[in-house]
Amino acid sequence: MTRILLVDDHDLIRQGLKRAFERTDDFEVVGEAASVSEAFTLIEDTAPDVVIFDVRLPDGSGLEATQRARSEHADLGLVVLTMYAGDEQLFGALDAGASAFVPKDAPADDVIAAARHAAQSPHSFTAPDLADAMRRRMTPTG
């Protein structure tokens, strides 16, 4: 079983994610946090395989939390989940050391697939729009 920690300040989002993961045979939700500080306490207490961080949390950035988690727990799978799914956020997640980036409007199956990827390949990065984002970044504008 892959152990998952959900970090989002909205209870409704956490509950929806929890239910989606409970429908699978290979994931166990070991904790839920509504803030960065709660997340790091639970990371130490529950030893998850994957952490799903919302980008915006009441006591800090999910991107900064991802970077900290990567530096403190090198092999932890890290998924960044956000309502703000622009290139800036995607590349911020990549730079922070995330394993995957998923917009919140994605289907639950995409979040589960990202968590599977993060568990199996925590040091590689995937995102639904990665190829197009790379093209946009490499193409001069103006």
Side-chain angles (χ1 to χ4, degrees):
M1 289 289 259
T2 301
R3 300 164 52 81
I4 300 282
L5 172 62
L6 306 173
V7 184
D8 195 298
D9 58 330
H10 294 99
D11 184 58
L12 185 62
I13 299 294
R14 287 194 319 272
Q15 293 307 313
L17 288 171
K18 183 177 181 179
R19 284 186 180 81
F21 281 107
E22 287 174 343
R23 289 192 307 259
T24 69
D25 294 334
D26 54 337
F27 287 102
E28 174 189 7
V29 176
V30 295
E32 299 175 43
S35 67
V36 172
S37 60
E38 287 177 22
F40 281 95
T41 298
L42 286 172
I43 288 171
E44 296 305 321
D45 292 348
T46 65
D49 301 304
V50 175
V51 178
I52 299 179
F53 277 112
D54 183 17
V55 167
R56 295 190 186 213
L57 296 163
D59 61 342
S61 160
L63 295 177
E64 290 172 2
T66 297
Q67 187 172 26
R68 176 180 163 195
R70 174 62 64 223
S71 69
E72 293 178 6
H73 305 276
D75 294 326
L76 187 60
L78 298 165
V79 177
V80 172
L81 185 67
T82 182
M83 297 256 317
Y84 311 96
D87 289 354
E88 183 178 330
Q89 298 292 345
L90 186 151
F91 288 115
L94 174 63
D95 292 341
S99 312
F101 176 85
V102 184
K104 279 189 179 176
D105 63 356
D109 288 345
D110 288 1
V111 179
I112 291 166
R116 283 191 179 113
H117 166 84
Q120 294 171 357
S121 300
H123 299 285
S124 66
F125 182 77
T126 187
D129 193 30
L130 182 58
D132 289 337
M134 292 298 292
R135 275 194 280 292
R136 286 189 294 271
R137 183 179 240 191
M138 302 302 287
T139 303
T141 60

